[in-house]
Amino acid sequence: MSTQKHIPVIKFHKDKYGDELLIDVVTLDMIRASKDFAKALRQSFYGVMLTTGGEGDVEVDGEPCTATKGLVAFARPGDVGTVTNDRNLTALELIFERDFILSFFNDPHFLDGLSYFSTSRPSPYVMLNEALYNRIIGLYVEIQLEVANARDRHLLRAMLYETLMLLQKASPVSGRKRESSETRVARFCELVNEYFLTETGVEFYAERLCITPNYLNRIVRQTLGQSTKGYIQSRRIEEARQLLRYTSLPVSDIADRLGFDTPTYFGRAFAQATGTTPLQFRSCPEK
Amino acid sequence: MKKILVITAVACLMMACGGNKNQKEMNNISNKEKAVALLKAIETGDNASIAYVNAESYKQHNLTVADGLDGFGAALAGLADFPEKARVNTVRAFEDGDYVVCQTDYNFYGPKAGFDIFRFEDGKIIEHWDNLMVYNGEKNPSGHTPFDGTTEVKDLDKTEANKALVRNFVQDVLMGQHPENLTNYFDGNTYIQHNTAIADGLDGLGAALAAMAEQGIKMEYFTIHKILGCGNFVLAVSEGRFADQPTSYYDLFRVENGKIAEHWDVMETIAPESDWKHQNGKFNF
């Protein structure tokens, strides 16, 4: 299990080349080194990671995939990415801020309309064939050279545009979403068992699982048929039932132990979940 | 033993004026063979090949070696005090007009990779340029050394076209005038790289560029001083700055079917003027 305490957010290094520039190509190693090799990272910008060699397990927004040469992973601002089980994985990531391309287009939804950035994307991955790989890697290096030299914004935008359009021609690779979301939900349940006494927020569990709260909500609802918060709450109520049944602890102590702010709030939550008050339940638990 | 070899080498310099090779023999040997033999003499101390140098007029462009044949002699003499034996293995050599280009695996005051250019007049060397870098024997990320790879010279009818291609490539890409033309110069991702720090392919180049950008290292090419070629091999001699140091770039390219296929290079920081032994300049072709 990850020992990470939070998901670091990587911000765009806008003035790396002096004047502000909202596009760059960086290596995977740099992205990871920049935050002490944290396993899960969140970027505040768009990223198109092109695997150039080696092998590794990557995850974008909770969807795992095995990266080999030619696999491209797409991250939108806020998506959480991880790289694990790295076998000499090498990659170049084309990164840019939304404004870099949108300031030029009339269509504010241009990026959302791309098959790999849209909210309903089938997968955050595509696999490039050799010809497409060669063109894309060529464009990456052209962008790098332009960034290192004249930094002509129009040329850079044109190169980015060409890259994004060419990537739409690549075949999507489905992540192992279904299988993984079940595993994740199982891990979520374990985590809740371990931490529900002290941790009641969705954020905590999402971070532990290296995914976003939204994604956690989605897979929990899909798998368990209830909300993440509801599940955590029901685990607390379940514990309350055990304590009422098998101990003589006062209700106020139980409320306190389970992290409810006040006994009244506990009583209300308990009644909502079980249809009975804590004291009624204690006197007649079989109901 | 080493001392004796060096003394022999210096002695041969003195004898060189006498020209102990007869004119007939001189004419039967190509300029390329003469250049390679002269370099080999650094290792063997063979005095005969010194005769290939014009003793009255030998213009030196290595800034840290004194002008003239006596300057070369002094550089050789210094080897006596160096703890490692000199080694000279020229791995590629070609002629372009009066010029001969040699690419050499050296131990010359320590292990080095180097390019030498000689200019001939009437069968004798009258001018010399070089670019040297320390090379510790390690292979680059793709397992290549600065010396291995293709040596076969071919496409002799394409020399001029290939020289033009390399000149354009240096201008467009290395000098940054038209980076957007990069992919036109390559056959896809096929690019065998002998630079000690860079992996094969455009992806290897991309990783190196990103790493340099991250470290704030700029590689700048300002001027092309000379393009020399023979068939599929073309050498570009350029001047610029690397990591803010004045730098001399010697880039050897192999061209295949009109595309750049392989690259070897030597980068040398240009010595500060206070260290120059003459005013011939590093370039001045």
Side-chain angles (χ1 to χ4, degrees):
Chain A
M1 189 195 292
S2 171
T3 52
Q4 225 170 299
K5 296 281 190 290
H6 69 291
I7 301 176
V9 177
I10 302 195
K11 294 263 167 52
F12 204 97
H13 191 172
K14 294 177 184 179
D15 51 5
K16 180 170 161 186
Y17 301 95
D19 45 349
E20 183 180 275
L21 187 66
L22 300 180
I23 183 169
D24 201 1
V25 175
V26 297
T27 64
L28 175 67
D29 288 344
M30 276 166 217
I31 291 268
R32 295 154 88 197
S34 66
K35 290 288 177 185
D36 303 324
F37 294 100
K39 279 199 180 118
L41 296 171
R42 179 180 277 139
Q43 294 179 171
S44 67
F45 41 83
Y46 285 89
V48 181
M49 189 187 91
L50 171 58
T51 311
T52 53
E55 200 176 301
D57 297 330
V58 297
E59 273 190 37
V60 177
D61 205 18
E63 295 194 34
C65 192
T66 302
T68 54
K69 185 172 176 176
L71 184 97
V72 182
F74 298 89
R76 300 162 301 201
D79 283 346
V80 175
T82 70
V83 176
T84 48
N85 204 8
D86 177 350
R87 276 94 65 200
N88 301 318
L89 186 72
T90 57
L92 284 174
E93 187 169 10
L94 170 64
I95 56 175
F96 58 97
E97 289 272 12
R98 195 177 185 84
D99 281 354
F100 181 71
I101 197 148
L102 290 191
S103 59
F104 187 68
F105 289 138
N106 288 329
D107 178 6
H109 302 296
F110 167 72
L111 287 167
D112 311 315
L114 296 169
S115 55
Y116 41 77
F117 282 143
S118 85
T119 47
S120 58
R121 63 182 175 189
S123 146
Y125 308 106
V126 300
M127 190 70 189
L128 305 181
N129 62 30
E130 197 187 337
L132 205 45
Y133 176 88
N134 291 346
R135 277 198 73 178
I136 300 287
I137 194 71
L139 279 161
Y140 271 42
V141 179
E142 285 177 0
I143 290 169
Q144 288 180 290
L145 290 167
E146 187 60 36
V147 164
N149 289 284
R151 291 196 275 283
D152 181 312
R153 269 42 171 198
H154 290 292
L155 261 182
L156 285 168
R157 217 170 265 127
M159 290 167 177
L160 174 60
Y161 188 47
E162 186 178 355
T163 307
L164 294 176
M165 290 299 110
L166 284 171
L167 286 166
Q168 292 227 107
K169 290 180 183 283
S171 348
V173 177
S174 46
R176 299 184 300 270
K177 195 171 179 176
R178 184 174 300 274
E179 170 199 328
S180 157
S181 64
E182 281 163 14
T183 315
R184 278 178 189 289
V185 171
R187 276 171 62 202
F188 165 71
C189 295
E190 283 168 23
L191 282 173
V192 172
N193 257 338
E194 197 177 342
Y195 291 106
F196 74 94
L197 285 175
T198 52
E199 301 292 344
T200 58
V202 178
E203 284 280 356
F204 170 83
Y205 295 97
E207 284 194 5
R208 281 296 176 121
L209 293 164
C210 304
I211 56 179
T212 63
N214 280 346
Y215 182 65
L216 179 61
N217 282 332
R218 201 159 84 220
I219 58 175
V220 166
R221 192 171 285 284
Q222 272 169 9
T223 313
L224 304 176
Q226 64 182 127
S227 70
T228 313
K229 225 172 168 45
Y231 180 82
I232 299 165
Q233 181 77 332
S234 64
R235 182 65 191 84
R236 294 164 86 199
I237 299 296
E238 176 56 29
E239 182 70 7
R241 287 155 75 112
Q242 306 302 336
L243 292 172
L244 289 165
R245 193 176 207 162
Y246 297 115
T247 73
S248 54
L249 284 170
V251 170
S252 58
D253 284 9
I254 292 173
D256 187 49
R257 182 177 288 201
L258 294 175
F260 289 93
D261 289 341
T262 64
T264 317
Y265 176 56
F266 167 58
R268 202 181 301 145
F270 191 88
Q272 207 167 24
T274 63
T276 173
T277 68
L279 282 176
Q280 282 170 336
F281 179 83
R282 175 165 267 173
S283 63
C284 198
E286 57 281 356
K287 274 182 187 169
Chain B
M1 182 60 192
K2 180 167 60 217
K3 209 137 201 160
I4 294 167
L5 280 173
V6 171
I7 290 165
T8 313
V10 175
C12 76
L13 291 172
M14 303 307 141
M15 288 156 60
C17 306
N20 60 351
K21 291 243 168 196
N22 67 48
Q23 199 59 41
K24 194 177 172 192
E25 194 188 335
M26 290 278 288
N27 292 342
N28 288 340
I29 302 170
S30 71
N31 287 349
K32 183 172 88 176
E33 289 167 312
K34 288 173 191 169
V36 172
L38 178 67
L39 291 173
K40 193 68 179 176
I42 295 172
E43 174 184 310
T44 62
D46 168 31
N47 58 10
S49 47
I50 303 297
Y52 301 140
V53 180
N54 183 326
E56 281 98 56
S57 169
Y58 176 64
K59 196 170 185 182
Q60 179 62 262
H61 292 276
N62 180 320
L63 298 171
T64 58
V65 173
D67 202 15
L69 191 49
D70 43 353
F72 181 43
L76 291 182
L79 279 173
D81 300 323
F82 198 79
E84 294 169 44
K85 187 186 178 324
R87 183 192 69 240
V88 180
N89 289 317
T90 300
V91 292
R92 284 176 197 80
F94 64 81
E95 285 184 35
D96 181 351
D98 294 331
Y99 293 91
V100 172
V101 173
C102 295
Q103 182 189 14
T104 302
D105 177 357
Y106 275 113
N107 191 316
F108 185 69
Y109 296 97
K112 289 187 174 63
F115 284 101
D116 291 88
I117 299 174
F118 298 97
R119 189 164 72 86
F120 284 74
E121 206 171 86
D122 300 328
K124 290 209 174 193
I125 297 167
I126 58 163
E127 206 165 356
H128 169 251
W129 298 259
D130 65 5
N131 227 36
L132 297 166
M133 67 173 185
V134 171
Y135 173 61
N136 61 13
E138 278 179 21
K139 292 188 170 174
N140 78 1
S142 292
H144 306 302
T145 73
F147 313 110
D148 60 8
T150 313
T151 53
E152 188 200 352
V153 177
K154 58 178 190 178
D155 302 335
L156 291 173
D157 57 322
K158 297 194 178 108
T159 299
E160 289 313 310
N162 289 342
K163 283 169 74 176
L165 178 91
V166 166
R167 179 180 289 278
N168 290 337
F169 173 73
V170 174
Q171 284 171 349
D172 282 2
V173 175
L174 299 179
M175 292 171 74
Q177 292 178 1
H178 291 286
E180 71 278 10
N181 292 341
L182 170 87
T183 46
N184 299 341
Y185 291 102
F186 293 94
D187 175 15
N189 193 34
T190 308
Y191 183 37
I192 303 170
Q193 180 61 265
H194 293 271
N195 179 291
T196 52
I198 307 179
D200 284 349
L202 293 186
D203 38 20
L205 183 62
L209 289 172
M212 285 196 298
E214 186 65 19
Q215 293 162 52
I217 296 173
K218 278 192 280 187
M219 184 174 72
E220 300 164 290
Y221 280 65
F222 299 144
T223 316
I224 300 173
H225 286 285
K226 196 75 183 168
I227 302 279
L228 293 168
C230 180
N232 52 338
F233 285 96
V234 179
L235 177 78
V237 176
S238 317
E239 183 178 3
R241 291 173 76 82
F242 183 81
D244 295 325
Q245 297 289 314
T247 299
S248 164
Y249 298 101
Y250 277 47
D251 292 283
L252 177 67
F253 297 95
R254 182 173 62 81
V255 181
E256 185 146 352
N257 299 323
K259 304 283 181 188
I260 288 168
E262 196 162 2
H263 172 245
W264 300 259
D265 70 337
V266 166
M267 280 166 44
E268 186 185 307
T269 303
I270 299 173
E273 199 165 347
S274 55
D275 292 349
W276 294 1
K277 298 274 178 63
H278 51 75
Q279 291 298 318
N280 296 337
K282 176 81 177 160
F283 305 101
N284 293 337
F285 284 90

